[in-house]
Tab-separated table of all heavy atoms in Angstrom:
chain	number	residue	atom	x	y	z
A	7	ALA	N	-65.459	106.691	239.306
A	7	ALA	CA	-65.037	107.936	239.954
A	7	ALA	C	-66.170	108.546	240.761
A	7	ALA	O	-65.949	109.110	241.839
A	7	ALA	CB	-64.537	108.924	238.901
A	8	ASN	N	-67.375	108.426	240.264
A	8	ASN	CA	-68.518	109.047	240.914
A	8	ASN	C	-69.238	108.118	241.883
A	8	ASN	O	-70.270	108.493	242.454
A	8	ASN	CB	-69.494	109.568	239.855
A	8	ASN	CG	-68.900	110.730	239.061
A	8	ASN	OD1	-68.212	111.571	239.629
A	8	ASN	ND2	-69.130	110.767	237.760
A	9	SER	N	-68.705	106.915	242.072
A	9	SER	CA	-69.224	106.031	243.115
A	9	SER	C	-68.608	106.437	244.445
A	9	SER	O	-67.720	107.290	244.511
A	9	SER	CB	-68.874	104.578	242.791
A	9	SER	OG	-67.488	104.344	243.002
A	10	LYS	N	-69.032	105.802	245.514
A	10	LYS	CA	-68.503	106.141	246.836
A	10	LYS	C	-67.027	105.773	246.978
A	10	LYS	O	-66.347	106.297	247.868
A	10	LYS	CB	-69.322	105.447	247.917
A	10	LYS	CG	-70.707	106.040	248.092
A	10	LYS	CD	-71.421	105.467	249.304
A	10	LYS	CE	-72.755	106.159	249.535
A	10	LYS	NZ	-73.444	105.646	250.746
A	11	SER	N	-66.517	104.901	246.111
A	11	SER	CA	-65.106	104.516	246.206
A	11	SER	C	-64.175	105.549	245.576
A	11	SER	O	-62.964	105.518	245.810
A	11	SER	CB	-64.873	103.153	245.557
A	11	SER	OG	-65.109	103.207	244.170
A	12	ARG	N	-64.716	106.463	244.734
A	12	ARG	CA	-63.955	107.581	244.141
A	12	ARG	C	-62.658	107.115	243.467
A	12	ARG	O	-61.569	107.591	243.765
A	12	ARG	CB	-63.606	108.641	245.178
A	12	ARG	CG	-64.713	109.634	245.479
A	12	ARG	CD	-65.429	109.238	246.663
A	12	ARG	NE	-65.904	110.344	247.509
A	12	ARG	CZ	-66.654	110.100	248.576
A	12	ARG	NH1	-66.954	108.864	248.919
A	12	ARG	NH2	-67.085	111.097	249.325
A	13	GLN	N	-62.756	106.199	242.522
A	13	GLN	CA	-61.576	105.739	241.805
A	13	GLN	C	-61.069	106.819	240.847
A	13	GLN	O	-61.850	107.572	240.269
A	13	GLN	CB	-61.895	104.466	241.024
A	13	GLN	CG	-62.496	103.352	241.875
A	13	GLN	CD	-61.501	102.683	242.781
A	13	GLN	OE1	-60.629	101.948	242.344
A	13	GLN	NE2	-61.629	102.903	244.082
A	14	ILE	N	-59.763	106.873	240.658
A	14	ILE	CA	-59.140	107.894	239.812
A	14	ILE	C	-59.150	107.423	238.353
A	14	ILE	O	-58.582	106.372	238.042
A	14	ILE	CB	-57.685	108.146	240.246
A	14	ILE	CG1	-57.634	108.563	241.712
A	14	ILE	CG2	-57.027	109.193	239.354
A	14	ILE	CD1	-56.227	108.525	242.299
A	15	PRO	N	-59.763	108.166	237.433
A	15	PRO	CA	-59.715	107.759	236.020
A	15	PRO	C	-58.276	107.806	235.495
A	15	PRO	O	-57.518	108.734	235.798
A	15	PRO	CB	-60.587	108.808	235.319
A	15	PRO	CG	-61.416	109.423	236.400
A	15	PRO	CD	-60.582	109.373	237.634
A	16	LEU	N	-57.918	106.818	234.696
A	16	LEU	CA	-56.575	106.770	234.115
A	16	LEU	C	-56.566	107.225	232.665
A	16	LEU	O	-55.552	107.715	232.172
A	16	LEU	CB	-56.010	105.347	234.217
A	16	LEU	CG	-55.838	104.811	235.647
A	16	LEU	CD1	-55.306	103.379	235.610
A	16	LEU	CD2	-54.918	105.711	236.453
A	17	GLY	N	-57.678	107.056	231.969
A	17	GLY	CA	-57.791	107.542	230.603
A	17	GLY	C	-58.434	108.910	230.577
A	17	GLY	O	-58.856	109.438	231.612
A	18	PRO	N	-58.512	109.534	229.407
A	18	PRO	CA	-59.124	110.859	229.300
A	18	PRO	C	-60.626	110.805	229.589
A	18	PRO	O	-61.327	109.927	229.090
A	18	PRO	CB	-58.850	111.257	227.841
A	18	PRO	CG	-58.642	109.950	227.122
A	18	PRO	CD	-58.013	109.027	228.108
A	19	VAL	N	-61.091	111.734	230.426
A	19	VAL	CA	-62.513	111.836	230.749
A	19	VAL	C	-62.901	113.305	230.763
A	19	VAL	O	-62.045	114.193	230.771
A	19	VAL	CB	-62.835	111.203	232.123
A	19	VAL	CG1	-62.523	109.721	232.141
A	19	VAL	CG2	-62.103	111.928	233.248
A	20	ASP	N	-64.199	113.558	230.796
A	20	ASP	CA	-64.714	114.920	230.942
A	20	ASP	C	-64.482	115.336	232.393
A	20	ASP	O	-65.174	114.887	233.309
A	20	ASP	CB	-66.197	114.929	230.595
A	20	ASP	CG	-66.800	116.327	230.655
A	20	ASP	OD1	-66.146	117.255	231.179
A	20	ASP	OD2	-67.956	116.487	230.192
A	21	GLU	N	-63.487	116.194	232.622
A	21	GLU	CA	-63.096	116.583	233.970
A	21	GLU	C	-64.216	117.298	234.725
A	21	GLU	O	-64.241	117.286	235.961
A	21	GLU	CB	-61.857	117.489	233.916
A	21	GLU	CG	-60.626	116.847	233.280
A	21	GLU	CD	-59.907	115.912	234.229
A	21	GLU	OE1	-60.040	116.095	235.445
A	21	GLU	OE2	-59.205	114.997	233.753
A	22	THR	N	-65.138	117.906	234.002
A	22	THR	CA	-66.231	118.618	234.677
A	22	THR	C	-67.172	117.650	235.401
A	22	THR	O	-67.971	118.073	236.231
A	22	THR	CB	-67.036	119.460	233.679
A	22	THR	OG1	-67.698	118.594	232.736
A	22	THR	CG2	-66.135	120.428	232.928
A	23	LYS	N	-67.063	116.359	235.065
A	23	LYS	CA	-67.939	115.361	235.683
A	23	LYS	C	-67.307	114.706	236.915
A	23	LYS	O	-67.888	113.774	237.489
A	23	LYS	CB	-68.317	114.293	234.656
A	23	LYS	CG	-69.153	114.836	233.501
A	23	LYS	CD	-69.535	113.747	232.524
A	23	LYS	CE	-70.395	114.309	231.388
A	23	LYS	NZ	-70.789	113.261	230.414
A	24	LEU	N	-66.128	115.187	237.326
A	24	LEU	CA	-65.459	114.630	238.486
A	24	LEU	C	-65.772	115.464	239.725
A	24	LEU	O	-65.820	116.695	239.668
A	24	LEU	CB	-63.944	114.598	238.266
A	24	LEU	CG	-63.435	113.737	237.109
A	24	LEU	CD1	-61.914	113.843	237.013
A	24	LEU	CD2	-63.869	112.287	237.259
A	25	SER	N	-65.935	114.785	240.853
A	25	SER	CA	-66.206	115.482	242.110
A	25	SER	C	-64.935	116.137	242.637
A	25	SER	O	-63.816	115.840	242.182
A	25	SER	CB	-66.729	114.500	243.153
A	25	SER	OG	-65.700	113.596	243.530
A	26	GLU	N	-65.102	117.021	243.620
A	26	GLU	CA	-63.956	117.672	244.241
A	26	GLU	C	-63.043	116.647	244.917
A	26	GLU	O	-61.815	116.779	244.886
A	26	GLU	CB	-64.443	118.694	245.274
A	26	GLU	CG	-63.356	119.636	245.773
A	26	GLU	CD	-62.765	120.507	244.669
A	26	GLU	OE1	-63.515	120.926	243.767
A	26	GLU	OE2	-61.547	120.767	244.732
A	27	ASP	N	-63.612	115.613	245.514
A	27	ASP	CA	-62.813	114.572	246.152
A	27	ASP	C	-61.908	113.867	245.146
A	27	ASP	O	-60.723	113.632	245.402
A	27	ASP	CB	-63.726	113.529	246.814
A	27	ASP	CG	-64.328	114.019	248.109
A	27	ASP	OD1	-63.765	114.954	248.714
A	27	ASP	OD2	-65.369	113.470	248.523
A	28	VAL	N	-62.476	113.515	244.002
A	28	VAL	CA	-61.698	112.804	242.993
A	28	VAL	C	-60.619	113.709	242.403
A	28	VAL	O	-59.492	113.277	242.151
A	28	VAL	CB	-62.611	112.237	241.888
A	28	VAL	CG1	-61.790	111.591	240.774
A	28	VAL	CG2	-63.584	111.218	242.476
A	29	ARG	N	-60.954	114.959	242.200
A	29	ARG	CA	-59.945	115.889	241.692
A	29	ARG	C	-58.780	116.016	242.670
A	29	ARG	O	-57.616	116.135	242.258
A	29	ARG	CB	-60.574	117.261	241.444
A	29	ARG	CG	-61.586	117.271	240.305
A	29	ARG	CD	-62.119	118.666	240.057
A	29	ARG	NE	-63.274	118.663	239.177
A	29	ARG	CZ	-63.856	119.750	238.703
A	29	ARG	NH1	-63.396	120.943	239.049
A	29	ARG	NH2	-64.907	119.653	237.908
A	30	ARG	N	-59.096	115.981	243.963
A	30	ARG	CA	-58.039	116.092	244.965
A	30	ARG	C	-57.071	114.911	244.878
A	30	ARG	O	-55.856	115.097	244.823
A	30	ARG	CB	-58.660	116.145	246.372
A	30	ARG	CG	-57.615	116.241	247.490
A	30	ARG	CD	-58.252	116.098	248.864
A	30	ARG	NE	-57.246	116.129	249.910
A	30	ARG	CZ	-57.458	115.779	251.164
A	30	ARG	NH1	-58.670	115.354	251.541
A	30	ARG	NH2	-56.487	115.827	252.048
A	31	VAL	N	-57.598	113.678	244.861
A	31	VAL	CA	-56.696	112.523	244.821
A	31	VAL	C	-56.035	112.383	243.457
A	31	VAL	O	-54.892	111.934	243.349
A	31	VAL	CB	-57.420	111.215	245.214
A	31	VAL	CG1	-57.766	111.215	246.694
A	31	VAL	CG2	-58.668	110.982	244.378
A	32	LYS	N	-56.730	112.796	242.400
A	32	LYS	CA	-56.139	112.743	241.062
A	32	LYS	C	-54.930	113.669	240.979
A	32	LYS	O	-53.917	113.328	240.355
A	32	LYS	CB	-57.193	113.124	240.017
A	32	LYS	CG	-56.768	112.884	238.564
A	32	LYS	CD	-57.946	113.123	237.630
A	32	LYS	CE	-57.610	112.740	236.192
A	32	LYS	NZ	-56.624	113.635	235.573
A	33	ALA	N	-55.013	114.830	241.638
A	33	ALA	CA	-53.893	115.766	241.635
A	33	ALA	C	-52.687	115.209	242.388
A	33	ALA	O	-51.545	115.604	242.118
A	33	ALA	CB	-54.334	117.094	242.248
A	34	LEU	N	-52.939	114.288	243.320
A	34	LEU	CA	-51.852	113.694	244.105
A	34	LEU	C	-51.265	112.441	243.443
A	34	LEU	O	-50.277	111.899	243.931
A	34	LEU	CB	-52.379	113.315	245.500
A	34	LEU	CG	-52.820	114.459	246.414
A	34	LEU	CD1	-53.505	113.889	247.650
A	34	LEU	CD2	-51.629	115.321	246.810
A	35	ALA	N	-51.866	111.989	242.355
A	35	ALA	CA	-51.528	110.676	241.798
A	35	ALA	C	-50.292	110.662	240.919
A	35	ALA	O	-49.961	109.631	240.320
A	35	ALA	CB	-52.716	110.136	241.012
A	36	ALA	N	-49.575	111.757	240.810
A	36	ALA	CA	-48.349	111.802	240.016
A	36	ALA	C	-47.301	112.618	240.770
A	36	ALA	O	-47.651	113.543	241.518
A	36	ALA	CB	-48.637	112.423	238.642
A	37	PRO	N	-46.019	112.261	240.588
A	37	PRO	CA	-45.552	111.115	239.808
A	37	PRO	C	-45.796	109.803	240.545
A	37	PRO	O	-45.671	109.736	241.766
A	37	PRO	CB	-44.051	111.393	239.663
A	37	PRO	CG	-43.696	112.177	240.891
A	37	PRO	CD	-44.890	113.020	241.203
A	38	ALA	N	-46.148	108.782	239.780
A	38	ALA	CA	-46.482	107.488	240.357
A	38	ALA	C	-45.342	106.499	240.152
A	38	ALA	O	-44.651	106.532	239.131
A	38	ALA	CB	-47.756	106.946	239.721
A	39	TYR	N	-45.165	105.635	241.126
A	39	TYR	CA	-44.135	104.602	241.028
A	39	TYR	C	-44.510	103.635	239.911
A	39	TYR	O	-45.668	103.227	239.780
A	39	TYR	CB	-44.016	103.846	242.350
A	39	TYR	CG	-42.761	103.016	242.464
A	39	TYR	CD1	-41.615	103.545	243.056
A	39	TYR	CD2	-42.710	101.730	241.954
A	39	TYR	CE1	-40.450	102.793	243.143
A	39	TYR	CE2	-41.550	100.974	242.041
A	39	TYR	CZ	-40.427	101.505	242.642
A	39	TYR	OH	-39.265	100.753	242.719
A	40	PRO	N	-43.550	103.229	239.064
A	40	PRO	CA	-43.848	102.325	237.941
A	40	PRO	C	-44.079	100.881	238.416
A	40	PRO	O	-43.160	100.065	238.473
A	40	PRO	CB	-42.605	102.433	237.052
A	40	PRO	CG	-41.496	102.800	237.996
A	40	PRO	CD	-42.128	103.651	239.063
A	41	LEU	N	-45.310	100.559	238.737
A	41	LEU	CA	-45.627	99.258	239.318
A	41	LEU	C	-45.391	98.094	238.353
A	41	LEU	O	-45.227	96.954	238.791
A	41	LEU	CB	-47.091	99.242	239.782
A	41	LEU	CG	-47.473	100.277	240.844
A	41	LEU	CD1	-48.931	100.095	241.239
A	41	LEU	CD2	-46.577	100.180	242.065
A	42	LYS	N	-45.365	98.361	237.051
A	42	LYS	CA	-45.151	97.284	236.084
A	42	LYS	C	-43.790	96.611	236.245
A	42	LYS	O	-43.571	95.527	235.735
A	42	LYS	CB	-45.278	97.817	234.652
A	42	LYS	CG	-46.685	98.171	234.255
A	42	LYS	CD	-46.866	98.229	232.736
A	42	LYS	CE	-46.053	99.303	232.063
A	42	LYS	NZ	-46.332	99.377	230.603
A	43	THR	N	-42.888	97.262	236.981
A	43	THR	CA	-41.542	96.711	237.156
A	43	THR	C	-41.447	95.769	238.353
A	43	THR	O	-40.374	95.241	238.630
A	43	THR	CB	-40.530	97.854	237.371
A	43	THR	OG1	-40.807	98.509	238.638
A	43	THR	CG2	-40.613	98.880	236.255
A	44	LEU	N	-42.554	95.542	239.066
A	44	LEU	CA	-42.494	94.861	240.353
A	44	LEU	C	-42.810	93.367	240.304
A	44	LEU	O	-42.934	92.731	241.349
A	44	LEU	CB	-43.460	95.527	241.339
A	44	LEU	CG	-43.153	96.957	241.752
A	44	LEU	CD1	-44.205	97.469	242.723
A	44	LEU	CD2	-41.769	97.045	242.385
A	45	GLY	N	-42.945	92.790	239.143
A	45	GLY	CA	-43.321	91.377	239.057
A	45	GLY	C	-42.378	90.456	239.805
A	45	GLY	O	-42.799	89.617	240.618
A	46	LYS	N	-41.089	90.583	239.575
A	46	LYS	CA	-40.104	89.733	240.230
A	46	LYS	C	-40.064	89.998	241.731
A	46	LYS	O	-40.026	89.068	242.548
A	46	LYS	CB	-38.726	89.962	239.608
A	46	LYS	CG	-37.602	89.102	240.169
A	46	LYS	CD	-36.318	89.307	239.363
A	46	LYS	CE	-35.176	88.448	239.889
A	46	LYS	NZ	-34.700	88.901	241.216
A	47	ALA	N	-40.087	91.270	242.110
A	47	ALA	CA	-40.054	91.630	243.525
A	47	ALA	C	-41.277	91.081	244.252
A	47	ALA	O	-41.183	90.596	245.388
A	47	ALA	CB	-39.986	93.150	243.680
A	48	ARG	N	-42.427	91.124	243.607
A	48	ARG	CA	-43.649	90.613	244.224
A	48	ARG	C	-43.534	89.125	244.495
A	48	ARG	O	-43.890	88.646	245.581
A	48	ARG	CB	-44.831	90.912	243.317
A	48	ARG	CG	-46.192	90.527	243.897
A	48	ARG	CD	-46.749	89.291	243.240
A	48	ARG	NE	-48.142	89.066	243.620
A	48	ARG	CZ	-48.791	87.937	243.389
A	48	ARG	NH1	-48.176	86.930	242.796
A	48	ARG	NH2	-50.053	87.798	243.763
A	49	ALA	N	-43.047	88.358	243.523
A	49	ALA	CA	-42.927	86.909	243.703
A	49	ALA	C	-41.973	86.564	244.842
A	49	ALA	O	-42.264	85.702	245.683
A	49	ALA	CB	-42.459	86.265	242.403
A	50	GLU	N	-40.842	87.247	244.885
A	50	GLU	CA	-39.854	86.970	245.932
A	50	GLU	C	-40.372	87.397	247.301
A	50	GLU	O	-40.227	86.668	248.294
A	50	GLU	CB	-38.545	87.693	245.605
A	50	GLU	CG	-37.849	87.174	244.363
A	50	GLU	CD	-36.635	88.010	243.980
A	50	GLU	OE1	-36.448	89.077	244.596
A	50	GLU	OE2	-35.887	87.595	243.066
A	51	CYS	N	-40.982	88.578	247.358
A	51	CYS	CA	-41.494	89.098	248.623
A	51	CYS	C	-42.630	88.225	249.148
A	51	CYS	O	-42.692	87.911	250.349
A	51	CYS	CB	-41.963	90.538	248.436
A	51	CYS	SG	-42.515	91.349	249.945
A	52	LEU	N	-43.529	87.793	248.269
A	52	LEU	CA	-44.651	86.965	248.681
A	52	LEU	C	-44.168	85.623	249.216
A	52	LEU	O	-44.714	85.114	250.204
A	52	LEU	CB	-45.617	86.761	247.513
A	52	LEU	CG	-46.848	85.909	247.799
A	52	LEU	CD1	-47.662	86.488	248.954
A	52	LEU	CD2	-47.716	85.791	246.543
A	53	ALA	N	-43.169	85.048	248.581
A	53	ALA	CA	-42.627	83.776	249.070
A	53	ALA	C	-42.098	83.929	250.497
A	53	ALA	O	-42.324	83.066	251.361
A	53	ALA	CB	-41.529	83.284	248.141
């Protein structure tokens, strides 16, 4: 999260250690599309 790539933590973290940039994208990260359901679609689409 604190690297230049600003990845969004998925597990519980100390929120005071997150930058303003990360807090901004983290606030936008829900509701998220359930990607675990896409296995079949990915195989068909990739083919």
Side-chain angles (χ1 to χ4, degrees):
N8 293 321
S9 73
K10 288 188 175 182
S11 65
R12 278 97 145 175
Q13 306 287 289
I14 303 167
L16 298 179
V19 298
D20 183 348
E21 300 281 335
T22 65
K23 295 181 179 180
L24 298 179
S25 68
E26 192 62 36
D27 284 338
V28 175
R29 293 183 192 186
R30 179 188 177 193
V31 290
K32 190 173 187 291
L34 295 171
Y39 195 93
L41 300 182
K42 289 200 296 184
T43 67
L44 294 180
K46 182 174 181 291
R48 185 254 190 193
E50 294 174 352
C51 184
L52 180 57

